[in-house]
Amino acid sequence: MTNNHNEQISKANTYIDRQQEIVKDSKYRFNYHMMPPVGWMNDPNGLIQYNGEYHLFYQHHPYAPEWGPMHWGHAKSRDLVNWEHLPIALAPSEYYDIGTIDDHGCFSGSAIEKDDELYLFYTGHSIEREPMQVQCVAKSRDGIHFVKEAKNPVIDHFPKDGSKDFRDPKVWQCGSQYYIVVGSKKDGKGKALLYQSSNLIEWDYRGVVAESNGEQGDMWECPDLFPLGKEHALILSPMYGEKNEKPIIIFGEMDYNVAKFYQERSMLLDYGHDFYAPQTLKDDKGRRIMMGWMDMWFSKRPSENDGWVGAMTIPRELTYNQNGIFVQQPVEELKTLRKNHHCIESFEIYGERSFPKLEGIGTEICIEFDMINSDSPVFGLNLRCSKDRSEKTVVKINKNAEEIIVDLTSAGEGESGIYKAPYKSTIDGKLNLRIFLDTTSIEIFVNHGEQVITNRIYPNTTSKEVDLFAEKGKARVLKADKWSLKSVW
Ligand code: FRU
């Protein structure tokens, strides 16, 4: 068994080594985002800190820049910013994760440490098999080489409340017990199914811990349930029929005695197009950190011509602000990438004006508007502009609608579309946008993380100018900061 797994892994690693030269010169490669060495990447998997280092695994098809038999790619980092690619962690090799057609493999899952060993939980998937999806374990002592558990599949059939779509185990410990939630569907409702174990190998089914309220999708992918502040949070990626929709976070109370999570309120985690299957970990600083797949199913992906596809968002810390509002903030460590600071303070914009000091491709822009003294109904920034402005990524504030609008109509290759996020006016009348640009992405944190908007954009590499504009009136800027961000690759 192990031999076959090892053979599949070394075959994939050899292939990746050979392909690296080809990918290297791709103009779409990121400066500071995590991306696959070659081939295809989707969901983050197995986020964990192990022996002091952060580990990120991910859904990976090394052999082509398109989805295929799923492997687990692997990278590690000391600071969540500088990543080092490691050998493939999991490859399809056993009856429960292979098939004769391509729709098979080691699907999404998570990681936990027990007695110095690193355990990966994943879904063994094969479209031809009955049941199609089962839950499996692989273990490692060095955090690099993984052996699939002899007792796999450790959960060999979906329970009565689930169906053949039964995947993406997220594992955690509470007291002396271990738990996993698995995503599933039944009777038109997405569900999170809870299992309990005292040894990580033998699992008892506890029941439906949470399910769709009727408006949260008919299939739940990648559920993640964890304590946050004084409450619990459940993150999930919903499907409506065949369509994947924007991930949500549900806040509520968890009662382990009756195995129930009681929903209280929910919101979208991200209003952009390219954010899916997020997963969290808790680190040794006590932070709850989340990364998501920065791409989406059925998207245009210009980088496939260069032999690779997919990326991860920057890591975000999940917390509450001083008013008790849930916020997502880029992890503090990202500030170590900052160089070449420019700051422009207190000015007004009428019409449209270019700002050479703010321009760049791998940059962070932090801009604060004075909403009380801005009478323009629509103002904002054009980013990644070409000289002739035929290309631009527009970020605008619609004051009356209280919306941030990202307009990708002229953003270049890739998905077009207009994406809107609501914002709430603050008592001090300030609106803050913290924007991370990289070669092919834009992530916007509104009002210190109250809302986030993430999109892949594919402008020309020469499109890097920035305009500020105000339609019909003036916009007042309190402060605009810009840093170039160092490349980590
Ligand atoms: C989510 C997902 C998971 C599945 C994986 C397959 O994007 O569909 O449910 O495990 O991707 O690659």
Side-chain angles (χ1 to χ4, degrees), residues 40 42-43 45 59-60 67-68 70 106-109 123 125 133 167-168 219-222 237 239 244 276-277 293 297:
W40 164 277
N42 58 291
D43 315 355
N45 294 155
Q59 290 285 281
H60 186 33
W67 193 86
M70 277 295 108
C106 304
F107 272 20
S108 282
T123 298
H125 167 85
Q133 298 181 333
R167 57 181 176 269
D168 311 334
M219 167 69 199
W220 282 4
E221 295 191 308
C222 304
S237 297
M239 291 182 75
N244 305 78
Y276 198 69
W293 177 34
W297 295 108

Side-chain angles (χ1 to χ4, degrees), residues 351-366:
E352 191 166 293
R353 195 164 115 211
S354 116
F355 280 78
K357 281 190 176 156
L358 301 181
E359 74 180 32
I361 291 178
T363 58
E364 177 186 340
I365 296 174
C366 220

Side-chain angles (χ1 to χ4, degrees), residues 99-207:
T100 57
I101 50 177
D102 274 0
D103 198 342
H104 69 262
C106 304
F107 272 20
S108 282
S110 54
I112 195 166
E113 181 180 344
K114 176 176 180 284
D115 303 330
D116 299 330
E117 269 189 296
L118 183 54
Y119 286 61
L120 302 183
F121 281 80
Y122 71 96
T123 298
H125 167 85
S126 175
I127 192 120
E128 312 143 69
R129 204 198 37 232
E130 174 61 44
M132 176 175 85
Q133 298 181 333
V134 292
Q135 314 316 321
C136 307
V137 171
K139 292 194 242 175
S140 169
R141 285 205 174 272
D142 64 3
I144 295 179
H145 303 96
F146 291 86
V147 177
K148 290 182 184 171
E149 163 65 36
K151 293 198 177 118
N152 275 348
V154 294
I155 300 174
D156 64 2
H157 207 283
F158 55 83
K160 61 181 189 333
D161 305 313
S163 57
K164 70 181 176 52
D165 286 283
F166 173 56
R167 57 181 176 269
D168 311 334
K170 176 77 201 285
V171 61
W172 74 96
Q173 184 174 6
C174 182
S176 64
Q177 296 295 298
Y178 298 98
Y179 296 88
I180 56 176
V181 271
V182 185
S184 194
K185 65 194 283 188
K186 193 162 186 184
D187 304 329
K189 284 184 177 174
K191 291 178 198 271
L193 308 174
L194 187 71
Y195 287 80
Q196 184 173 345
S197 168
S198 54
N199 60 13
L200 289 175
I201 303 297
E202 284 135 21
W203 291 92
D204 294 324
Y205 177 56
R206 291 289 310 272

